[in-house]
Amino acid sequence: MNNWKNNLRNIEPYVPGEQSKEKNIVKLNANENPYPPSPMAVKAIKEYCADSLRFYPPADATPLKQAIASFYGVNVENVFVGNGSDDVIALAFQSFFNGSEPILFPDITYSFYPVWCRLFNIDYETPAVDDNFRIVLDDYKKSNGGIVIPNPNAPTSICENIDFVDDLLSFNSDSVVIIDEAYVDFGGVSCVELVKKYENLLVTGTFSKSRSLAGLRIGFAIGSKALISVLEAVKNSYNSYTVDSLSVAAGVASINDREYFNSTVSKIINTRNYMTNQLRAMGFEVLDSSTNFVFASNKNIDIKDMFEYLKSKKVFIRYFDLPRINNYVRITVGTDREVQILLDEIKKYVGD
């Protein structure tokens, strides 16, 4: 009868960007950093004693927390770390969104949010961004069970200013507000300083984007002692050792190498600006980006067809077959060479 199948979880999962196994591709579909990690991080990995792997890592990852706290000017007790920002945000959903009212996040945003809501049985509403893809602040000035907003937003690439976040928090003193800053290093404005003003604010970040450590899965959150202590309690209720020893060592080295970090971020911003100008010159609408990707459309062509064409040329970008954005593509900023290959192929397509 197979009645046991009735008890299996039935859920539509998050779908990441395609991870092609083809060789010699231009991979601009997953917002990965085109440059290698800090040489200091690479050195830390190479010099890590393999024999140490037989021991459990420090459950609290204190060295990494200390490095993050120093970089952002907060106390260690205000820092939480986990296996990538997805792990951190998922824990935050479980920790803070347990009320009877729906949580709020934009209708066009990171598509993992509704997946977590369905998985954890959290009611949610998605206020629509406006016709310019901007978040409408007034839509969040109502009773709710919590708020989560990426800033800069993804996939739109738009960043709201610090006053926007301050105003959002001043109205929502009775719910936890999560600001997901996965892309903030590429031209956005961080609201970490507001953590000192608002006890209900949690800011999340990642080492996957600006620090080129996506393969190690390092994420973090900065918030009040009250919020961080609950995150730690939830984490320790199912896995005390979420961050491995190698990630701690490489993460510390990476965040301490500020010169390399600034240099890499600057190169990506310069290439992004070049790519934006070139696409606009070809008739594309490109939103002003504060991220390591651009969000682009062209009313004169079928964007999905262009996406498929580029894929046939081994140039991978991201297409979302979703309402309101099904004629847009998200293009990660690669190296100058990768971006030029992309632009050359788009020129061929537009010219056909």
Side-chain angles (χ1 to χ4, degrees):
M1 294 177 62
N2 293 331
N3 287 337
W4 56 270
K5 292 184 178 179
N6 296 328
N7 296 323
L8 301 181
R9 175 78 72 175
N10 182 16
I11 192 167
E12 183 179 345
Y14 168 77
V15 180
E18 183 176 352
Q19 300 293 325
S20 175
K21 295 182 179 179
E22 290 190 58
K23 296 181 179 180
N24 301 317
I25 68 170
V26 176
K27 191 171 183 295
L28 304 176
N29 67 337
N31 295 344
E32 295 151 327
N33 197 309
Y35 300 106
S38 157
M40 290 174 59
V42 175
K43 181 180 179 182
I45 294 171
K46 289 180 177 179
E47 294 181 352
Y48 187 82
C49 178
D51 185 59
S52 298
L53 292 177
R54 64 190 178 91
F55 299 109
Y56 283 112
D60 56 7
T62 296
L64 182 55
K65 288 181 180 178
Q66 290 173 331
I68 293 171
S70 176
F71 186 87
Y72 288 97
V74 297
N75 297 322
V76 173
E77 65 186 18
N78 299 120
V79 179
F80 176 85
V81 295
N83 283 328
S85 59
D86 286 343
D87 178 50
V88 173
I89 299 171
L91 280 167
F93 271 50
Q94 295 177 77
S95 300
F96 309 134
F97 298 155
N98 298 294
S100 58
E101 296 188 89
I103 70 167
L104 307 176
F105 50 83
D107 67 329
I108 299 175
T109 194
Y110 187 31
S111 54
F112 226 141
Y113 298 157
V115 174
W116 286 320
C117 286
R118 292 190 290 267
L119 183 63
F120 303 139
N121 295 315
I122 299 169
D123 192 16
Y124 67 96
E125 294 179 4
T126 54
V129 296
D130 67 19
D131 291 341
N132 296 314
F133 298 111
R134 305 302 294 257
I135 296 170
V136 181
L137 183 59
D138 285 346
D139 289 341
Y140 296 83
K141 293 184 176 181
K142 65 179 182 178
S143 183
N144 61 77
I147 293 172
V148 55
I149 290 177
N151 197 39
N153 196 7
T156 66
S157 79
I158 297 173
C159 186
E160 304 297 342
N161 60 33
I162 196 81
D163 291 337
F164 175 97
V165 180
D166 199 349
D167 195 0
L168 175 73
L169 284 155
S170 66
F171 187 86
N172 290 282
S173 59
D174 292 329
S175 57
V176 173
V177 176
I178 299 174
I179 302 296
D180 178 355
E181 293 190 347
Y183 300 100
V184 76
D185 294 327
F186 300 103
V189 179
S190 177
C191 64
V192 166
E193 280 298 311
L194 292 180
V195 166
K196 300 170 183 177
K197 181 178 179 181
Y198 296 101
E199 193 176 19
N200 61 319
L201 169 64
L202 189 80
V203 180
T204 64
T206 179
F207 281 49
S208 297
K209 312 300 182 185
S210 57
R211 299 189 184 279
S212 307
L213 290 174
L216 285 184
R217 314 305 302 128
I218 304 172
F220 63 93
I222 297 174
S224 65
K225 184 178 179 180
L227 292 184
I228 298 301
S229 62
V230 174
L231 277 175
E232 295 285 0
V234 172
K235 180 203 76 168
N236 291 334
S237 295
Y238 76 94
N239 182 4
S240 297
Y241 305 101
T242 57
V243 181
D244 64 79
S245 300
L246 193 59
S247 294
V248 170
V252 170
S254 174
I255 205 164
N256 286 337
D257 193 352
R258 300 195 183 206
E259 182 178 355
Y260 184 83
F261 167 77
N262 291 332
S263 173
T264 301
V265 167
S266 178
K267 285 194 289 186
I268 290 172
I269 291 173
N270 289 337
T271 304
R272 181 190 71 207
N273 293 341
Y274 170 76
M275 178 167 66
T276 296
N277 291 334
Q278 292 296 307
L279 287 171
R280 286 173 175 169
M282 285 188 275
F284 283 81
E285 174 195 356
V286 184
L287 303 189
D288 291 334
S289 174
S290 296
T291 65
N292 68 334
F293 60 87
V294 299
F295 200 51
S297 181
N298 189 324
K299 63 182 179 181
N300 297 317
I301 64 175
D302 184 330
I303 284 290
K304 185 176 182 181
D305 187 68
M306 186 190 78
F307 160 79
E308 296 291 353
Y309 167 82
L310 291 173
K311 187 175 178 180
S312 73
K313 300 299 181 180
K314 296 188 175 183
V315 178
F316 286 69
I317 60 177
R318 190 79 190 269
Y319 172 75
F320 299 92
D321 192 8
L322 295 171
R324 301 186 67 190
I325 59 171
N326 58 4
N327 203 41
Y328 283 80
V329 284
R330 190 194 71 192
I331 308 172
T332 305
V333 179
T335 62
D336 289 344
R337 174 184 171 275
E338 290 172 329
V339 166
Q340 194 58 57
I341 292 172
L342 164 83
L343 293 171
D344 289 344
E345 290 296 346
I346 291 178
K347 285 178 182 177
K348 292 178 185 177
Y349 179 84
V350 172
D352 287 343

